Amino acid sequence: MRTLSSQLYSNGGLTWFQKKNQSSLFIKHLRVSKPSRVQLISAVQFRPCIDIHKGKVKQIVGSTLRDLKEDGSVLVTNFESDKSAEEYAKMYKEDGLTGGHVIMLGADPLSQAAAIGALHAYPGGLQVGGGINSENCMSYIEEGASHVIVTSYVFNNGKIDLERLKDIVSIVGKQRLILDLSCRKKDGRYAIVTDRWQKFSDVILDEKSLEFLGGSRTQERDV
């Protein structure tokens, strides 16, 4: 998704919103004493995302992404792009979009290659997640990732594995580690889920857990 340059103009009580060479009526009867030009400022920051599955950029219903299909369920894909992850990364770089991430929905070689291609296209501009652990985390930083995103490796077997957390922090540093606190509702509370949203952990998102995790100076993503 590209950003569009836009301005908010006012002249003699009539205001309109202009995108490139097209104008459309925006607000009528705005009380303006004299013609003026006002810069439109947004309080919302757009953070781009690239989800990769089998080497392709896709938007998938997360709960349908399973390791085993014993229950007869099928993968539900909302959208599959004909553009590569690298093309999207170049687009985000050109538009100056920061704080985005590329996620590998599976550790297959095609997805890994696509993710690395995106990191090379926008070095230092994208975070990376999906199958990150203490053995491969530094390699993604070296390939151009600004941060590594971790969930299943740290929230292991339903609990916070403090040894793994300390291990990965010692390798990449606190400033380049992001804990993904993706969660689902269970018994009226929100619990962190791992392994592509399949497994519930016993870590409940509340003030106490957020304070504890925040003490590690890690970041939250998409809570």
Side-chain angles (χ1 to χ4, degrees):
M1 181 181 293
R2 285 184 176 273
T3 56
L4 295 175
S5 58
S6 56
Q7 301 287 339
L8 183 65
Y9 293 88
S10 61
N11 189 356
L14 183 65
T15 300
W16 67 92
F17 189 64
Q18 181 171 333
K19 288 185 178 180
K20 293 186 177 179
N21 296 322
Q22 297 180 346
S23 299
S24 60
L25 191 62
F26 188 61
I27 302 175
K28 288 184 177 180
H29 308 305
L30 183 66
R31 294 182 178 178
V32 180
S33 58
K34 60 181 179 179
S36 62
R37 176 172 173 170
V38 182
Q39 180 73 39
L40 183 64
I41 301 175
S42 174
V44 178
Q45 182 178 6
F46 178 74
R47 292 181 180 269
C49 172
I50 304 172
D51 283 352
I52 302 172
H53 180 252
K54 303 296 184 182
K56 300 291 186 179
V57 177
K58 300 180 182 180
Q59 201 284 314
I60 291 173
V61 178
S63 59
T64 68
L65 186 63
R66 302 177 184 275
D67 293 327
L68 300 175
K69 300 296 181 66
E70 296 176 353
D71 59 356
S73 62
V74 295
L75 181 70
V76 178
T77 301
N78 285 333
F79 174 77
E80 179 174 340
S81 177
D82 58 357
K83 296 183 182 297
S84 67
E86 182 177 346
E87 289 178 277
Y88 278 104
K90 288 180 179 178
M91 185 188 304
Y92 299 152
K93 181 180 179 181
E94 291 172 1
D95 290 342
L97 298 175
T98 60
H101 56 261
V102 53
I103 301 295
M104 296 171 283
L105 301 175
D108 58 280
L110 288 176
S111 295
Q112 292 173 341
I116 290 173
L119 297 178
H120 288 176
Y122 193 1
L126 292 169
Q127 307 156 6
V128 67
I132 304 297
N133 55 50
S134 60
E135 294 182 359
N136 63 21
C137 59
M138 199 61 203
S139 67
Y140 285 104
I141 295 294
E142 293 170 349
E143 294 288 358
S146 63
H147 302 73
V148 290
I149 303 168
V150 178
T151 304
S152 302
Y153 182 71
V154 169
F155 298 98
N156 183 39
N157 292 324
K159 301 182 182 298
I160 300 177
D161 192 322
L162 293 179
E163 290 303 314
R164 286 189 172 187
L165 178 58
K166 292 177 182 178
D167 189 31
I168 199 167
V169 165
S170 69
I171 297 171
V172 299
K174 295 178 180 179
Q175 302 301 330
R176 292 187 294 190
L177 175 64
I178 296 175
L179 290 182
D180 179 356
L181 306 183
S182 296
C183 57
R184 292 172 60 188
K185 197 170 186 178
K186 181 180 181 181
D187 299 328
R189 298 189 296 174
Y190 287 92
I192 293 175
V193 288
T194 65
D195 299 285
R196 293 176 293 284
W197 308 283
Q198 297 175 63
K199 299 179 181 178
F200 280 95
S201 73
D202 63 0
V203 183
I204 303 299
L205 281 184
D206 54 21
E207 183 177 358
K208 182 178 179 180
S209 63
L210 289 174
E211 285 183 356
F212 175 79
L213 295 172
S216 300
R217 294 175 65 188
T218 51
Q219 291 178 270
E220 302 163 31
R221 184 181 70 85
D222 295 341
V223 177

